[in-house]
Amino acid sequence: MIEKIEREQIVALMKREVVPAIGCTEPIAVALCTAKAAETLGCEPENIKVLLSANILKNAMGVGIPGTGMIGLPIAVALGALIGKSEYQLEVLKDATPEKVQEAKRMVDAQLIEIALKEGIEEKLYIEIICSAGTEKAKVIISGGHTNIVYVSKNEEVLKDVRTGGAAEQEGEGVELTLRKVFDFATTAPFEEISFILEAKRLNKNAAERSFEGNYGHELGRILRNSKSEKAVIGDNTFTHILSYTSAACDARMAGAMIPVMSNSGSGNQGIAATLPVVVYAEDNHKSEEEMARALIISHLTAIYIKQSLGRLSALCGCVVAATGSSCGITYLMGGDYEQVVFAVKNMIANLTGMICDGAKPSCALKLTSGVSTAVFSAILAMEKKCVSSLEGIIEDDVDLSIRNLTRIGSEAMNETDRMVLDIMTHKHCEC
């Protein structure tokens, strides 16, 4: 059993990384940075300059902004300046009203907001906001984490500057994880220390069920749940329930519904994919609340572990990471031991490595569905003690080295892919 002091560190890590969020976390992080800059300025900005890393720009271009019925960064920035409260963190826009949305639209139409790519930076998660009014000016930088404010200044006075090492502190906080440690923590920690994770079930299941009642995005979740043709093809069973719940929550979130979800490592979609497959399997199979909580800890902590070496934003779709976590959680609920969880991880890495991230948008629901369907297949194979071997592809005997191979491909080898994806996205000839 893991010692109490280390368990406390892991719990603290999870409580930092598994948090509620409303809307896609990239434009919401930009809104948060804007809110902090406006607060620092002390009045409504007359001009707002927004400088972003390519990955932030990519993930914020095509996604709905909660409560607005609009897509993209300008409305998120305007609302952040007008009604955003930085203490709300990733729920920064939850006080939006129709009147304030109209006011924000006027700010956008008046072209008071300038958005550009920040040149010459290596950090993939970088947001710089400069708000000005008359002779007053405030500048805020978020870097390394969606809520990690590393710099604040007003006029010539620097109020905060922790840019050196600030991102690293957010990423790991000194907790060295392995898959073995993830499994041991999840299966042996006292239930009262880990029961907090059940809030992820409540939020993300609620998001899916509200989505079933609406018309969000491509409506994949609602179609999978209600379509007669779908049931004729793949039936009405735990597998289809997993697909419908996961995609429905994503449908609503990517469409900009004012519905909170529990995120993981700064991503609501990762939180959804790490939560709902596990919850649905547990409920359909009448597992106890404690069994569900332990499976959710395995799922979410596996995703956090993988993201520690992958980075918060990369060219690799986050559903690969989160679905790997949910495959581990489902394997545990099926009665799997550590060896079978290892098998599930290797099966996932052998299958989904290389799925590109082409920004946050409604079709993310399709990718999440691909990821979690693979999670189920991988768990089933693992329970039969079937596993992709070290003779195949990028898989190694050591599961942690296999994970490093996945994250090296996502964080290093796919950088040119990331540049090409952004170039395509910003030069499309769109008739819409």
Side-chain angles (χ1 to χ4, degrees), residues 232-252:
V233 174
I234 55 177
D236 182 9
N237 49 49
T238 297
F239 179 62
T240 55
H241 299 165
I242 286 172
L243 301 187
S244 63
Y245 268 81
T246 304
S247 54
C250 183
D251 284 331

Side-chain angles (χ1 to χ4, degrees), residues 355-405:
M355 182 186 285
I356 65 166
C357 170
D358 55 342
K361 68 279 182 214
S363 61
C364 285
L366 296 168
K367 292 191 177 186
L368 257 66
T369 305
S370 296
V372 299
S373 64
T374 303
V376 175
F377 300 151
S378 295
I380 291 170
L381 279 174
M383 291 306 296
E384 295 293 327
K385 299 205 170 182
K386 299 293 184 182
C387 172
V388 177
S389 75
S390 60
L391 298 176
E392 303 172 69
I394 65 169
I395 302 303
E396 305 210 27
D397 289 327
D398 185 321
V399 67
D400 295 298
L401 289 179
S402 298
I403 288 171
R404 292 297 179 275
N405 292 343

Side-chain angles (χ1 to χ4, degrees), residues 62-311:
V63 70
I65 306 303
T68 69
M70 296 176 68
I71 287 173
L73 277 168
I75 191 67
V77 170
L79 271 178
L82 293 174
I83 58 96
K85 291 184 175 64
S86 61
E87 66 263 29
Y88 289 170
Q89 299 285 284
L90 294 179
E91 296 180 286
V92 64
L93 299 184
K94 69 180 181 180
D95 288 344
T97 63
E99 294 75 23
K100 286 298 181 181
V101 170
Q102 289 304 313
E103 194 175 334
K105 288 179 180 178
R106 288 192 289 272
M107 179 181 281
V108 172
D109 291 341
Q111 298 184 329
L112 304 181
I113 300 166
E114 176 190 351
I115 300 172
L117 190 66
K118 178 72 174 181
E119 302 289 352
I121 57 166
E122 294 183 6
E123 172 60 56
K124 293 184 178 182
L125 198 166
Y126 182 92
I127 303 163
E128 180 178 325
I129 305 291
I130 302 169
C131 289
S132 58
T135 60
E136 301 290 299
K137 182 172 74 172
K139 177 176 175 179
V140 176
I141 297 172
I142 285 177
S143 178
H146 290 78
T147 61
N148 191 33
I149 296 173
V150 298
Y151 181 89
V152 181
S153 68
K154 183 174 183 182
N155 299 325
E156 301 303 316
E157 182 183 3
V158 176
L159 305 175
K160 178 179 182 178
D161 189 354
V162 292
R163 284 175 289 184
T164 303
E169 289 172 7
Q170 279 286 314
E171 291 288 344
E173 288 288 340
V175 179
E176 295 184 8
L177 295 173
T178 63
L179 191 66
R180 177 85 244 187
K181 187 176 290 186
V182 167
F183 184 84
D184 288 348
F185 171 78
T187 56
T188 66
F191 176 52
E192 61 270 17
E193 293 182 13
I194 61 171
S195 60
F196 68 89
I197 198 65
L198 292 171
E199 180 66 4
K201 168 204 165 182
R202 187 187 69 81
L203 282 182
N204 292 349
K205 188 177 179 186
N206 175 67
E209 290 175 343
R210 288 179 62 180
S211 183
F212 291 142
E213 298 168 0
N215 303 98
Y216 297 105
H218 298 295
E219 300 180 47
L220 178 60
R222 203 161 68 90
I223 290 168
L224 287 172
R225 182 180 175 87
N226 298 324
S227 169
K228 290 181 180 178
S229 60
E230 169 267 325
K231 290 180 180 177
V233 174
I234 55 177
D236 182 9
N237 49 49
T238 297
F239 179 62
T240 55
H241 299 165
I242 286 172
L243 301 187
S244 63
Y245 268 81
T246 304
S247 54
C250 183
D251 284 331
R253 181 172 175 271
M254 291 290 94
M258 189 65 85
I259 301 172
V261 302
M262 191 67 81
S263 66
N264 180 298
S265 304
S267 167
N269 282 349
Q270 285 171 198
I272 289 166
T275 301
L276 287 174
V278 174
V279 168
V280 172
Y281 184 91
E283 291 186 337
D284 277 13
N285 288 275
H286 311 292
K287 299 296 182 180
S288 70
E289 195 172 65
E290 181 172 341
E291 288 173 311
M292 183 192 293
R294 294 192 185 281
L296 285 171
I297 291 289
I298 291 174
S299 180
H300 278 272
L301 194 54
T302 297
I304 291 167
Y305 167 42
I306 296 172
K307 291 292 284 188
Q308 283 182 328
S309 56
L310 177 64

